[in-house]
Amino acid sequence: MPPTIRSRRPVRSALVLFFAAAAAGAVVASAHAQGAQREGRRSRTREVKPTELTPAQVTELTRIANERKLNFDDLMAASKTFMPSGRHDEYVCFASGGQSGQVFAIGVPSMRLLRSIAVFTPESWQGYGFGVGNDVLAAGNMPSGRTIGWGDTHHPGLSETNGEYDGQFLFIGDKANARVGVIDLRDWETKQIVKNPLSVSDHGGCFVTPNTEYVVEGGQYATPLGFGYAPLAEYKKSYRGFVTFWKFDREKGRIDVAKSFALELPPYFQDLFDAGKGASEGLVFGNSFNAEMAVGGIQSGKPPFEAGCSQRDTDYLHVIDWKIAERVVASGKTEDLGGFKVIPLETSIAEGILHLAPEPKSPHGVDVSPNGQYIVVAGKLDPHVTVFGADRIRKAIADKKFSGKDDFGVPILDFDAVKEAQVELGLGPLHTQFDDQGYAYTSLFLDSAVARWTLGGEYESKHPEQPWKLVTKTPVQYNIGHLVTAEGDSSSPDGRYLISMSKWSIDRFVPTGPLLPQNFQLVDISQQGTAMPVIFDMPIGVGEPHYAQIIKADKLKSWQVYPELGWNPHTQSVDPNAPKAGKEGIVRDGRNVTINMTAVRSHYTPEHVEVNEGDHITWRITALEQTPDATHGFTIGGYNINLSLEPGEFAEIKFTADMPGVFPFYCTEFCSALHLEMLGYFLVKPSGAGKDAVGMAR
Ligand code: K7E
Ligand code: CUA
């Protein structure tokens, strides 16, 4: 990865040309500024009229550009990405947050971090796991009950209707612990975590079928399914791969575990999946590696995994017909594993659910083109991407055009019968996305580049003169993993913007110790042909994102405040237990104490809460606000409690007052001029025996 730093010569002549053109009459800015008008505040809306630069302004801009060593390309990049205060981004990128266990929402093209959404890791600002959200997190624990405190998020998946993002829900997978989180995009909160009942870990994939019938969670490292034990010597006999189809209930906004199922697969390392759409609707495709079924063993002189898994020239593309699988499940031909329905491998073979196809070489991504006709597989150790044809696959299955069977009896489709094209792109191809101009884009990890190439064939070619051809490569810094274009894996990509999710940043930012941020690089793909410049670098210093999706911002119908006072975000309805204004108070029933509290700028009612050591506390709070952004916090220091009470929200926390003493509770969001005064006292009367807050025996 050569760190090519562009020369920083002052480019006065180019600048003068650019601004002279602008001054001569080109429109440089035209906007109707948006901006939320807040209660009691000046409107931030500003009128911007089409502007012509005066010669004096051109001179001033040129001076600043030269002072800051900005060339013409830099100025273009700045004007393509700069957002005046108050103007909103056109797109939102939902990126996995890697080891942070969260999801990041980033505005495009400004590349401003809008917020993080807490999913698998407790998060104190959102109060997630510090009084509320504890049940959601606990549902993701191991079946043994062992707590998992984080996640390695890999693939976010937006809900779809007819293959288009509908902006309603977001799913996110956890690779380390084989879990899926469900986020409701009305309030951007995690509503559910499901733990995969078959495996400790998998790839953390979340791929939705075109109408979000299922969230497809792919496998990864084979194990004995259902958390069993078997020695590695019995790998082929006892270890298995799998893919899980989580049934999504859109009405309830939850995964319906009882209607979900999994497929037992051979112990290849299933990797990434993508749901077919259009021409390939009803199929799901998954790439894999380790067709060798290597088990490593470097410590005893055996080939390490990296060598053992890469011996063969091809691995297996998995072609799964989920419509048949659904019928097989309905007819009861499943086995029960930990209370979960699993279609045995023999059944999948007998019923024609599963076929394999050879795919070169050490493949990583599998991506379905917008109309569903082409399935693109990238081989990490092959400079080509291999394109499979959906019609060819269906015909080969119908005609039983097999080149053999694998060791488990799964039919292997004849490679030449299903292959549509191979396109040479460069070193280390990984992932592919699409635009609206008939181009595909593939990340090249080893080349540190984004490749643009043309789709060919009779279905999707907008470039009949040069089908299946590399058009250009843009260098990125450095070692790109995924890339994502606007709505680039949907039925109708927007294109325009591409983000290179670069894994190494090396020299791009001020050094931050030996641990450096990831680098999200915005690439302008709006022009045809070879022009494809990088126009922004955004450091991500909170985890290593893998996949991301970019949705048109106006598809998101987010609530600004909860619809009614006393709203319970977990039921998405008014909670019958939500305290009402004027009805606050403390109710004692033996050792059970219920506190009915309201919060409004700038006080809690009641302000004094007195209990006895050992009392069981149910603390209910309604935020009586309906003003956007009038969020209150609520913390009881020492008790590890913190809430974020958004306007209208109701929250309930339960704990035992097992620590006597005097505990000020206060608001942790700077909500008003008298925010510091938004407090109260929680008095826990010592019961006699026991220890006080500093651990002293009484
Ligand atoms: Cu390539 Cu999990 Cu999609 Cu990382 S994965 S890059
Ligand atoms: Cu409420 Cu600060």
Side-chain angles (χ1 to χ4, degrees):
M1 88 227 48
T4 46
I5 297 164
R6 271 189 293 164
S7 71
R8 292 278 161 209
R9 279 173 285 125
V11 281
R12 183 161 179 105
S13 52
L15 269 177
V16 169
L17 262 177
F18 170 59
F19 288 117
V27 172
V28 297
S30 163
H32 180 75
Q34 307 166 21
Q37 196 166 338
R38 290 171 165 213
E39 194 180 83
R41 299 202 185 167
R42 252 180 308 130
S43 162
R44 294 182 190 265
T45 308
R46 52 166 218 172
E47 272 309 318
V48 181
K49 300 215 178 73
T51 313
E52 288 175 14
L53 296 177
T54 64
Q57 288 172 325
V58 173
T59 306
E60 181 61 3
L61 276 167
T62 309
R63 184 187 66 75
I64 292 169
N66 283 326
E67 206 173 271
R68 297 202 59 225
K69 297 188 170 36
L70 302 177
N71 64 22
F72 177 74
D73 292 343
D74 300 330
L75 287 170
M76 287 298 285
S79 50
K80 284 173 183 171
T81 54
F82 175 73
M83 278 289 163
S85 180
R87 195 179 310 164
H88 294 183
D89 280 298
E90 206 178 329
Y91 291 95
V92 175
C93 170
F94 289 104
S96 79
Q99 304 89 332
S100 73
Q102 321 295 41
V103 169
F104 306 141
I106 296 160
V108 178
S110 75
M111 303 304 281
R112 293 175 296 187
L113 176 65
L114 301 172
R115 67 169 279 190
S116 157
I117 304 170
V119 186
F120 297 111
T121 307
E123 205 276 352
S124 40
W125 170 54
Q126 293 158 71
Y128 183 69
F130 295 93
V132 296
N134 301 49
D135 297 351
V136 176
L137 284 161
N141 287 340
M142 286 293 289
S144 66
R146 179 179 286 265
T147 303
I148 297 167
W150 72 295
D152 182 13
T153 58
H154 272 238
H155 293 85
L158 286 156
S159 58
E160 294 180 12
T161 302
N162 297 323
E164 304 283 354
Y165 303 155
D166 55 38
Q168 292 183 1
F169 295 94
L170 180 69
F171 308 95
I172 177 75
D174 166 20
K175 170 162 172 155
N177 309 295
R179 298 181 295 175
V180 172
V182 181
I183 297 162
D184 188 328
L185 288 174
R186 286 174 292 184
D187 61 358
W188 298 40
E189 283 196 0
T190 301
K191 303 301 175 190
Q192 184 185 27
I193 293 175
V194 287
K195 169 76 192 108
N196 197 295
L198 303 184
S199 182
V200 174
S201 66
D202 63 13
H203 194 142
C206 271
F207 306 91
V208 302
T209 51
N211 286 295
T212 324
E213 297 94 338
Y214 292 96
V215 180
V216 181
E217 182 191 8
Q220 185 92 95
Y221 308 125
T223 58
L225 296 186
F227 313 104
Y229 174 82
L232 279 162
E234 292 171 17
Y235 184 85
K236 198 171 153 186
K237 175 171 153 249
S238 304
Y239 286 52
R240 286 294 175 269
F242 67 100
V243 58
T244 307
F245 289 75
W246 293 108
K247 179 80 192 155
F248 186 60
D249 183 334
R250 205 187 273 264
E251 199 65 28
K252 292 203 176 83
R254 297 287 192 278
I255 284 170
D256 186 339
V257 178
K259 290 187 179 150
S260 305
F261 63 91
L263 261 63
E264 178 195 14
L265 296 173
Y268 315 134
F269 292 168
Q270 285 80 26
D271 189 29
L272 292 162
F273 283 76
D274 199 4
K277 52 182 178 271
S280 49
E281 164 119 41
L283 300 178
V284 156
F285 306 96
N287 78 288
S288 67
F289 59 101
N290 199 18
E292 298 84 351
M293 294 185 274
V295 294
I298 194 169
Q299 75 290 340
S300 29
K302 304 225 176 74
F305 275 108
E306 60 174 324
C309 293
S310 336
Q311 278 159 13
R312 293 176 42 150
D313 284 334
T314 55
D315 288 277
Y316 292 121
L317 174 72
H318 293 49
V319 180
I320 294 162
D321 191 320
W322 64 263
K323 301 252 163 135
I324 303 180
E326 207 173 35
R327 289 198 290 274
V328 165
V329 171
S331 68
K333 289 186 220 162
T334 51
E335 278 175 11
D336 187 286
L337 204 49
F340 200 74
K341 298 189 189 80
V342 181
I343 303 178
L345 185 53
E346 316 82 79
T347 308
S348 288
I349 298 167
E351 302 281 342
I353 295 171
L354 176 67
H355 292 85
L356 302 174
E359 51 174 9
K361 170 176 188 164
S362 296
H364 188 42
V366 54
D367 296 284
V368 177
S369 71
N371 71 6
Q373 187 56 243
Y374 303 124
I375 298 99
V376 182
V377 170
K380 298 182 295 258
L381 301 182
D382 179 347
H384 299 83
V385 286
T386 300
V387 184
F388 296 86
D391 288 356
R392 291 173 185 275
I393 288 173
R394 289 203 202 269
K395 185 158 192 315
I397 291 173
D399 298 349
K400 298 202 182 326
K401 201 112 181 34
F402 305 144
S403 56
K405 288 182 177 175
D406 78 344
D407 289 2
F408 301 87
V410 187
I412 302 167
L413 300 168
D414 180 68
F415 182 64
D416 291 321
V418 295
K419 181 193 77 180
E420 189 82 39
Q422 288 188 293
V423 189
E424 186 169 350
L425 299 179
L427 299 179
L430 295 183
H431 300 288
T432 300
Q433 292 245 309
F434 306 90
D435 72 4
D436 59 338
Q437 306 187 59
Y439 293 125
Y441 300 84
T442 300
S443 52
L444 302 174
F445 179 83
L446 297 174
D447 269 356
S448 281
V450 171
R452 167 186 265 177
W453 51 282
T454 54
L455 290 171
E458 55 194 292
Y459 300 100
E460 218 145 353
S461 179
K462 291 183 175 156
H463 306 274
E465 73 295 347
Q466 47 162 6
W468 309 119
K469 265 247 162 350
L470 174 67
V471 177
T472 192
K473 287 195 237 181
T474 289
V476 289
Q477 292 73 35
Y478 305 91
N479 294 356
I480 175 175
H482 273 275
L483 46 67
V484 54
T485 59
E487 310 220 337
D489 65 3
S490 72
S491 291
S492 61
D494 287 13
R496 301 183 55 195
Y497 299 109
L498 178 149
I499 296 172
S500 161
M501 304 172 75
S502 305
K503 300 287 189 188
W504 293 36
S505 62
I506 308 184
D507 56 0
R508 296 292 102 170
F509 308 110
V510 172
T512 53
L515 180 61
L516 300 177
Q518 318 296 310
N519 189 10
F520 272 21
Q521 296 182 286
L522 187 68
V523 181
D524 175 4
I525 57 166
S526 61
Q527 302 159 73
Q528 296 254 346
T530 56
M532 214 166 67
V534 172
I535 55 174
F536 200 89
D537 278 27
M538 177 199 190
I540 305 272
V542 267
E544 183 208 313
H546 290 260
Y547 191 46
Q549 289 181 328
I550 300 176
I551 183 174
K552 198 93 197 307
D554 63 14
K555 286 188 179 173
L556 298 167
K557 307 287 182 227
S558 306
W559 288 332
Q560 276 211 301
V561 298
Y562 280 109
E564 289 179 61
L565 293 183
W567 196 265
N568 182 336
H570 294 281
T571 58
Q572 295 291 37
S573 60
V574 173
D575 197 292
N577 289 327
K580 291 192 171 62
K583 299 269 157 70
E584 299 92 343
I586 300 168
V587 184
R588 176 175 284 280
D589 173 13
R591 298 306 308 266
N592 300 319
V593 180
T594 302
I595 296 122
N596 292 307
M597 176 176 268
T598 59
V600 72
R601 280 165 291 171
S602 299
H603 54 269
Y604 301 107
T605 309
E607 289 186 330
H608 298 169
V609 177
E610 276 192 64
V611 302
N612 299 315
E613 180 181 356
D615 281 349
H616 303 294
I617 311 296
T618 301
W619 201 309
R620 296 171 175 158
I621 313 178
T622 303
L624 299 176
E625 303 281 358
Q626 283 288 274
T627 306
D629 209 5
T631 294
H632 297 289
F634 174 80
T635 186
I636 306 176
Y639 271 93
N640 201 35
I641 286 167
N642 188 46
L643 305 179
S644 171
L645 298 160
E646 288 115 57
E649 182 171 356
F650 160 70
E652 179 180 274
I653 40 181
K654 287 177 187 276
F655 62 99
T656 301
D658 50 11
M659 200 168 29
V662 173
F663 300 86
F665 57 82
Y666 71 93
C667 172
T668 50
E669 282 268 341
F670 210 115
C671 53
S672 73
L674 296 176
H675 145 82
L676 282 180
E677 288 76 356
M678 191 162 175
L679 83 152
Y681 280 101
F682 177 47
L683 301 127
V684 184
K685 235 179 281 171
S687 63
K691 287 181 178 175
D692 64 17
V694 291
M696 299 286 288
R698 292 188 307 272

